[in-house]
Amino acid sequence: MKIIAEIGTSHGGDIEKAKKLIDCAVESGADYVKFQWVYADEILHPDTGFVNLPTGKIPLYERFKELEVEPAFFEECLRYTHEKGAKFTCSPFGPRSLEELLSIHPDAVKIASPELNHIPLLKDLAGYRKKNDIPVIISSGVSHLGDIEEALSILGREKITLLHCITSYPAPEEEYNLKVIPSLSAIFGIPCGVSDHSLDPVLVPSIAASLGASMIEKHITLSKETDGLDDPVALTGEQFALMSHCIRQCQAAFRQYGENAKGYILKQLEDEYGERIQKILGDGVKKLAPAEEANYGRTNRSLHFMRAMKAGEVINVEDISVLRTEKVLSVGLHPRFLDDVIGSRLTRDVQNGDGVQWKQLL
């Protein structure tokens, strides 16, 4: 069982802070440290809306622009991670970040939940995997079974780890439905774990470990009071170390008791947490959690116009992007239809940022 410390963008572009986070992750028991290779243009439209931060209300696109760093930043993070004895993984968000990430030879590529349906990104990664044997980790928050199946049909199933996830910050523990971990593993024939956005350092990771999770991912921060986008839901080093200890204790129980360890672990947790454990276990059926239902379509990728266009114009490749809709824009067509949209003629005027719809196309 592998533990991933998700640093994400909490380094704020400061390489010394990034190294402190790597130190913290490794000292707290992480096998992998994970970053996010951000280019705002690959994620959001400039008019996507605003985000509330302690410093005030600012455009979400501008917040992502602030998180952009040079490739040399991640190359140094990779080198330092290896020096500390851990593995390096990172999430790309589009073709440019994927190409640059692959050029530094990470130990694995992580596809985040909103990019599970980024078909062009997945195809680019699949093309690379035909010649280069690189592991891939994919999160499955805010998705249906069909979304996972489509992603795997592109990426293949060799050296793939699937992480069950709830795309909500924070995610309610009682909605995690962790019995879905063995269900997904059986359905797709690949190792499955969890990417946990809940606040408790023990509950979800320990239950997931009892169910045979192959990998557990959780955000880490130097302080919950800093201004990283995910810092409020991240674990401090002390909390992360507690989580790692609990996971390793679960592993030790399996070594000692075999399959009987599952009941032993769950009984201990029920003695401490009561009926919450059964709620967190759920029914094992893959479905959207209540906390993320409203995000489906908006957090995932869809097709958006990148300029205002007039009826009768022909859509060229540079007129469309595969983006998260997020705050205020209309949701567009699924990215699988990108090739069908390119070359179509508009039946009506469209605004910059609009989601692409069939009724707009001839």
Side-chain angles (χ1 to χ4, degrees), residues 99-126:
E99 181 180 2
E100 292 177 352
L101 171 60
L102 294 173
S103 74
I104 69 170
H105 306 294
D107 298 297
V109 174
K110 169 70 189 298
I111 299 298
S113 294
E115 284 64 61
L116 183 69
N117 75 334
H118 192 324
I119 304 302
L121 177 68
L122 300 183
K123 287 181 176 178
D124 286 350
L125 179 55

Side-chain angles (χ1 to χ4, degrees), residues 17-287:
K17 184 176 182 181
K19 289 179 177 180
K20 288 179 182 178
L21 282 159
I22 293 168
D23 288 339
C24 182
V26 175
E27 291 165 6
S28 301
D31 302 295
Y32 283 81
V33 296
K34 179 184 168 296
F35 289 85
Q36 298 175 13
W37 201 305
V38 170
Y39 290 119
D41 289 341
E42 292 188 324
I43 304 173
L44 302 163
H45 190 278
D47 298 331
T48 197
F50 294 82
V51 61
N52 292 315
L53 295 174
T55 54
K57 187 176 181 181
I58 68 167
L60 184 56
Y61 178 86
E62 294 303 321
R63 184 69 180 94
F64 274 86
K65 287 292 289 184
E66 293 172 356
L67 299 172
E68 295 181 4
V69 295
E70 295 296 321
F73 179 95
F74 294 111
E75 193 165 13
E76 176 61 13
C77 288
L78 181 148
R79 184 202 64 78
Y80 190 77
T81 297
H82 286 173
E83 180 182 298
K84 294 297 177 178
K87 292 187 176 182
F88 176 94
T89 186
C90 185
S91 291
F93 297 101
R96 178 185 174 189
S97 53
L98 175 63
E99 181 180 2
E100 292 177 352
L101 171 60
L102 294 173
S103 74
I104 69 170
H105 306 294
D107 298 297
V109 174
K110 169 70 189 298
I111 299 298
S113 294
E115 284 64 61
L116 183 69
N117 75 334
H118 192 324
I119 304 302
L121 177 68
L122 300 183
K123 287 181 176 178
D124 286 350
L125 179 55
Y128 180 86
R129 275 166 53 86
K130 289 179 180 178
K131 298 179 180 179
N132 302 273
D133 195 20
I134 188 167
V136 173
I137 305 159
I138 58 175
S139 278
S140 59
V142 74
S143 70
H144 296 291
L145 275 177
D147 299 315
I148 302 171
E149 177 63 40
E150 184 170 17
L152 292 175
S153 72
I154 296 169
L155 290 171
R157 303 192 186 192
E158 293 296 319
K159 290 196 172 182
I160 297 280
T161 300
L162 176 66
L163 300 185
H164 172 54
C165 179
I166 295 179
T167 304
S168 178
Y169 301 85
E173 287 90 357
E174 286 81 359
E175 294 183 13
Y176 248 94
N177 186 24
L178 289 177
K179 282 184 180 178
V180 83
I181 292 174
S183 297
L184 290 174
S185 184
I187 290 168
F188 295 113
I190 57 177
C192 187
V194 67
S195 178
D196 179 21
H197 298 140
S198 67
L199 296 177
D200 194 293
V202 173
L203 270 173
V204 170
S206 295
I207 297 173
S210 78
L211 296 172
S214 62
M215 186 174 282
I216 295 173
E217 176 185 71
K218 209 146 170 72
H219 282 273
I220 193 168
T221 182
L222 299 178
S223 169
K224 290 177 176 288
E225 304 304 317
T226 46
D227 63 355
L229 285 175
D230 299 312
D231 286 348
V233 301
L235 300 184
T236 62
E238 182 179 3
Q239 291 175 312
F240 201 97
L242 172 61
M243 179 194 76
S244 297
H245 172 74
C246 292
I247 291 169
R248 300 309 180 203
Q249 288 294 101
C250 291
Q251 287 182 292
F254 273 99
R255 287 193 295 268
Q256 182 172 354
Y257 302 110
E259 284 305 309
N260 292 329
K262 174 183 173 181
Y264 171 76
I265 296 166
L266 292 178
K267 176 65 168 60
Q268 281 197 321
L269 289 169
E270 284 182 332
D271 288 345
E272 183 172 354
Y273 292 96
E275 64 182 19
R276 293 183 68 193
I277 302 305
Q278 291 304 315
K279 292 179 180 178
I280 297 168
L281 283 166
D283 59 12
V285 177
K286 171 59 179 169
K287 53 185 175 292

